[in-house]
Amino acid sequence: MTIEQRFGLRIREIRHRQQLSQEELAFRCALSKNYISDVERGTRNISLKVIEKFAKGLGVPLAELFRF
């Protein structure tokens, strides 16, 4: 499994735990729903700025996103 896939699964896991839709997370992160979907499927190689947006949008510490 690639790092992109592992990261995407982690995002999905946290999102589901918080009972958020992809649409709601996209709104919180100022990203598109399609972008969220791509990240969760591991088809995007995202930047550090986007990783920070995920942490803020999910309300978790940055390190939490990398606890595979």
Side-chain angles (χ1 to χ4, degrees):
M1 186 176 288
T2 67
I3 186 71
E4 293 89 355
Q5 291 168 327
R6 290 179 8 186
F7 185 82
L9 287 175
R10 183 65 176 149
I11 294 297
R12 181 179 292 146
E13 177 184 300
I14 296 169
R15 180 177 63 78
H16 282 171
R17 190 173 53 207
Q18 294 184 10
Q19 299 181 335
L20 296 174
S21 66
Q22 286 183 342
E23 218 168 355
E24 177 62 25
L25 181 57
F27 175 76
R28 290 181 180 197
C29 296
L31 299 168
S32 75
K33 181 179 172 272
N34 289 338
Y35 193 91
I36 300 294
S37 176
D38 289 348
V39 170
E40 288 188 355
R41 287 184 287 115
T43 60
R44 290 269 181 165
N45 185 10
I46 64 175
S47 70
L48 290 172
K49 289 181 180 184
V50 172
I51 292 170
E52 183 180 41
K53 285 184 176 190
F54 274 111
K56 287 180 180 179
L58 291 166
V60 297
L62 198 59
E64 183 70 24
L65 301 179
F66 294 96
R67 291 199 175 111
F68 304 129

